[in-house]
Amino acid sequence: MHNYSVSVGVLMATDIVGQLADSLAKTGVEEGELSYKGQGRKLDDAQSVETMVKEIQDFEGLQALRLEGNTIGVEAAQAIAKALKTKSEFKCCYWSDMFTGRLRSEIPPALNSLGDALMLAGAKLTVLDLSDNAFGPDGVKGIEKLLKSSACYTLQELRLNNCGMGIGGGKILAASLSHCHKKSTAEGAPLSLKVFVAGRNRLENDGATALAQAFQLMGSLEEVHMPQNGINHAGVTALASAMQHNTKLRILNLNDNTFTEKGAIAMARALKHLRSIQVINFGDCLVRPAGATAMAETVSEGLPILKELNLSFGEITEEAALAVAHAVKDKDQLQKLDLNGNYLGDNGCKALKDIMEGMNMGDLLGSLSDDEGEPEEDEDDDDDEDEDDEDEEKDDEEVDEEEIEEEEEEEDEEESSGNKFSTPVCAPRPPDVSSFLSFPSPDKLLKLGAKRAILIEQEVDLTDPTKAAETFLKIASVYKEENIDVKNAVLDSIDALLKKAFSCPTFQGIGFVSALLVLLGLIKSENKVKPVLVVPGHLHVLEHVVQQEYFPKESVAVLEAFMSRNNKTLQSCGNAKNSLLSTLQSVKSKC
């Protein structure tokens, strides 16, 4: 009887503990944490958060606040912010997915209010998670002041996954992190960010390159997650250079970006001497045989504690895949090797399995069920680099246009009620400048609307002659003489942008012309800049430009001298070249 009573008592106690554990689990409560996670509340104004505000005010030693899975308006954010102003011990912002259904314009002021409160409180943040908030570049501006402040000198984790930042937002973020590092270093406690997450943000090359500079400056990263950002080999190479300076790096996830051989080889070389790497995810990155072989060399010579290596869907052929397999032979901590979705063929798959089993590592090899079979052509031979880049851009453009169409359909539904809302599902980007600049098309330029020149100017640093020249060529590439709307859109945009650039006292006109000649392949660059594929539109628009008052007449003679030469890059544009040359000579004679 006594034993039975004890058993009943134990069961009752167990039930109570279990209920308590369940209750805590539902809110994810930890010490010093107040959680409203996943409650689906629609918090519009101060009245709607009265209870929450009181709980925040009454919580002594508050260190973390979870607001994920609710939707917070400007007034509600201001009320919450007021309660946070006294929380000097505050450390962790778990604020992902908290603007669903909100107007895009509501998000920056809401973030500004919350950030200002943390700065006034003297908080020392360690975690800032704003993932799945479709706030775009303006949202990054909403946290810019916070990121530059002393509240973020102690930041260890920055999570901005799926926020639609774009190139512009990436640049703002990079500048903010660099500023924070500089200021914190001056005070003797340099920013030492450990975890950076920014997948699905369309950072592309320029955004990735800007962030790479910040990463190199900090040198403290342990985890970097930047999948699905439309980054090509130029951006990958910049990131590779930055990774060399982050010697404690453990996890590197760049899944679903386009390395090609150049980026893969650069990354392989950079990782060779990083001895803390545990997880590498370069799946769906088009590393190709040469890139995979370079990675195999890196793995065999270093990476002593590697646990996972993902080189799936990378157009890797049998020989390169087998080299990767041999490279992991002595990696006693390896848990998974993923080479699925490549060009191995039946024989290659069998050979790969045999090698892994022969090393007693057969169970570490991932599935090969999606293997693409043997390539129709010899994929080990390097294709013409220009063709490779063109194919990549066409593929990316097709995907990009599909996504834009899907997003426009979503926006049409949302705008039928008169508003455009924020949604955490792959942040929509109405008229998208970064998309046009990455993969120019006439349709994209027209969709930017009458303010296209202003939008482009906001995205590009026109005080940089090289950036100005690159932008000129991108816009000019879509020029169509027979389509009056496109023609006018191109010429009006070019005139507005270049007129502003040349009117800037610090703008170097000769630098612009030099950069233009390099990009057109008419002179060689010491930096080995790759020329663009010249199309007639480039020359037609240039012909228009040299006749405008804003264009420096001293540069006309320079252009004429180079256009007079026989150059293979202009052979496909015979008529356009002749017309441009004639106009240059005419303008020159009037000078």
Side-chain angles (χ1 to χ4, degrees):
M1 191 71 169
H2 178 70
N3 289 339
Y4 178 75
S5 298
V6 170
S7 297
V8 171
V10 170
L11 287 171
M12 289 177 66
T14 301
D15 287 344
I16 293 170
V17 172
Q19 290 170 7
L20 180 60
D22 288 342
S23 176
L24 291 173
K26 287 178 182 177
T27 55
V29 174
E30 294 182 5
E31 185 178 356
E33 178 181 294
L34 185 58
S35 177
Y36 302 94
K37 180 179 180 180
Q39 295 183 7
R41 299 190 190 185
K42 191 172 188 296
L43 308 170
D44 296 324
D45 50 30
Q47 185 178 355
S48 67
V49 292
E50 278 183 355
T51 302
M52 182 185 293
V53 166
K54 187 176 187 309
E55 289 172 346
I56 292 173
Q57 290 172 335
D58 293 345
F59 198 121
E60 293 185 11
L62 181 65
Q63 296 182 24
L65 178 62
R66 288 190 174 273
L67 297 174
E68 311 105 306
N70 298 285
T71 176
I72 299 174
V74 176
E75 289 184 22
Q78 291 170 343
I80 294 170
K82 189 174 180 180
L84 288 173
K85 286 181 181 178
T86 60
K87 303 301 175 182
S88 60
E89 297 177 47
F90 196 81
K91 295 180 179 180
C92 303
C93 306
Y94 297 107
W95 297 346
S96 64
D97 187 19
M98 68 173 194
F99 294 116
T100 299
R102 294 292 165 187
L103 290 170
R104 191 73 64 86
S105 60
E106 289 183 82
I107 301 175
L111 290 173
N112 268 317
S113 296
L114 293 166
D116 288 347
L118 297 177
M119 289 186 281
L120 285 171
K124 300 296 180 185
L125 297 184
T126 57
V127 178
L128 178 58
D129 185 355
L130 288 165
S131 297
D132 299 319
N133 288 308
F135 50 47
D138 288 341
V140 185
K141 291 178 183 177
I143 58 171
E144 182 178 7
K145 188 161 54 169
L146 174 63
L147 288 172
K148 289 181 176 180
S149 74
S150 59
C152 285
Y153 288 1
T154 50
L155 194 63
Q156 294 183 14
E157 297 184 19
L158 179 58
R159 301 177 182 272
L160 297 168
N161 201 59
N162 190 28
C163 288
M165 289 190 289
I167 294 172
K171 288 181 176 180
I172 296 169
L173 178 60
S176 300
L177 291 174
S178 297
H179 182 276
C180 184
H181 183 269
K182 181 180 178 180
K183 290 292 187 181
S184 59
T185 300
E187 295 189 17
L191 171 65
S192 298
L193 191 68
K194 293 181 180 179
V195 178
F196 180 83
V197 182
R200 299 182 70 187
N201 271 292
R202 303 189 185 186
L203 296 169
E204 299 174 5
N205 286 339
D206 286 353
T209 299
L211 284 166
Q213 294 171 353
F215 295 165
Q216 182 166 326
L217 196 62
M218 292 184 291
S220 56
L221 289 167
E222 297 180 11
E223 295 185 26
V224 175
H225 303 265
M226 297 174 66
Q228 294 183 320
N229 268 298
I231 307 170
N232 294 328
H233 66 77
V236 172
T237 300
L239 288 171
S241 179
M243 292 308 112
Q244 294 182 75
H245 298 269
N246 289 266
T247 56
K248 295 181 181 179
L249 190 68
R250 295 183 296 106
I251 299 173
L252 182 57
N253 175 9
L254 295 175
N255 186 281
D256 199 9
N257 289 292
T258 309
F259 282 36
T260 65
E261 292 92 336
K262 283 185 179 179
I265 291 171
M267 188 61 75
R269 289 173 179 167
L271 297 181
K272 189 172 290 187
H273 304 294
L274 297 184
R275 302 186 64 79
S276 298
I277 289 282
Q278 297 178 20
V279 178
I280 296 174
N281 185 345
F282 296 162
D284 205 12
C285 284
L286 208 67
V287 299
R288 294 181 174 156
T293 302
M295 283 300 304
E297 181 181 333
T298 290
V299 171
S300 63
E301 295 179 6
L303 314 187
I305 57 173
L306 185 65
K307 293 182 178 179
E308 294 183 21
L309 176 59
N310 183 348
L311 296 176
S312 60
F313 299 94
E315 292 190 359
I316 301 170
T317 50
E318 178 181 349
E319 183 178 353
L322 298 184
V324 173
H326 284 296
V328 302
K329 179 180 180 181
D330 297 320
K331 306 302 167 187
D332 54 11
Q333 294 192 39
L334 189 73
Q335 298 174 1
K336 185 175 182 181
L337 173 62
D338 192 346
L339 288 166
N340 196 19
N342 284 300
Y343 289 156
L344 307 186
D346 292 340
N347 292 336
C349 288
K350 184 179 184 305
L352 179 59
K353 290 176 181 177
D354 288 345
I355 287 174
M356 293 297 287
E357 289 172 0
M359 298 186 299
N360 294 319
M361 302 174 81
D363 57 335
L364 305 183
L365 180 64
S367 168
L368 298 174
S369 60
D370 294 317
D371 186 73
E372 298 284 350
E374 295 182 17
E376 293 180 6
E377 298 177 2
D378 186 0
E379 295 290 334
D380 289 313
D381 290 340
D382 289 331
D383 296 327
D384 180 81
E385 196 66 35
D386 288 346
E387 292 179 2
D388 280 352
D389 288 349
E390 283 181 52
D391 289 344
E392 289 162 23
E393 290 183 4
K394 286 177 182 175
D395 290 344
D396 287 342
E397 185 171 1
E398 289 171 5
V399 172
D400 198 68
E401 288 174 349
E402 289 172 6
E403 291 175 352
I404 289 171
E405 288 173 3
E406 292 172 2
E407 291 165 3
E408 287 173 350
E409 290 174 4
E410 293 172 3
E411 289 165 15
D412 287 342
E413 293 175 5
E414 294 164 353
E415 290 177 357
S416 64
S417 62
N419 293 324
K420 181 167 62 183
F421 298 107
S422 165
T423 168
V425 182
C426 198
R429 301 181 308 166
D432 196 323
V433 179
S434 61
S435 173
F436 168 75
L437 292 174
S438 297
F439 308 109
S441 73
D443 187 53
K444 288 181 184 178
L445 183 65
L446 292 176
K447 284 183 178 179
L448 291 177
K451 295 183 178 180
R452 59 181 67 87
I454 296 173
L455 294 172
I456 294 170
E457 181 190 338
Q458 291 173 348
E459 190 78 9
V460 179
D461 181 8
L462 290 176
T463 62
D464 182 336
T466 300
K467 294 289 184 186
E470 290 173 346
T471 304
F472 166 83
L473 291 173
K474 287 175 180 178
I475 298 172
S477 70
V478 306
Y479 177 89
K480 290 185 180 296
E481 182 70 33
E482 69 278 8
N483 187 323
I484 191 64
D485 290 336
V486 174
K487 178 181 178 180
N488 288 339
V490 169
L491 297 181
D492 290 346
S493 299
I494 290 291
D495 283 340
L497 294 169
L498 291 188
K499 186 175 182 180
K500 181 151 191 178
F502 281 109
S503 66
C504 178
T506 59
F507 186 76
Q508 298 178 348
I510 192 63
F512 171 81
V513 173
S514 297
L516 198 59
L517 292 171
V518 169
L519 291 166
L520 289 172
L522 299 178
I523 58 176
K524 291 185 178 179
S525 165
E526 294 179 1
N527 298 325
K528 296 183 179 179
V529 174
K530 184 179 176 182
V532 301
L533 179 65
V534 183
V535 296
H538 291 139
L539 306 187
H540 285 308
V541 177
L542 186 55
E543 181 180 359
H544 166 83
V545 166
V546 299
Q547 299 177 72
Q548 306 309 308
E549 289 185 6
Y550 60 74
F551 190 80
K553 301 311 175 193
E554 62 269 20
S555 296
V556 171
V558 177
L559 284 173
E560 191 236 345
F562 282 96
M563 289 295 166
S564 300
R565 299 177 181 179
N566 289 324
N567 194 298
K568 292 181 179 179
T569 63
L570 304 181
Q571 284 181 350
S572 62
C573 308
N575 292 335
K577 175 191 172 184
N578 292 336
S579 181
L580 170 59
L581 189 55
S582 176
T583 298
L584 285 167
Q585 291 168 345
S586 175
V587 174
K588 180 183 174 183
S589 67
K590 295 175 184 178
C591 293

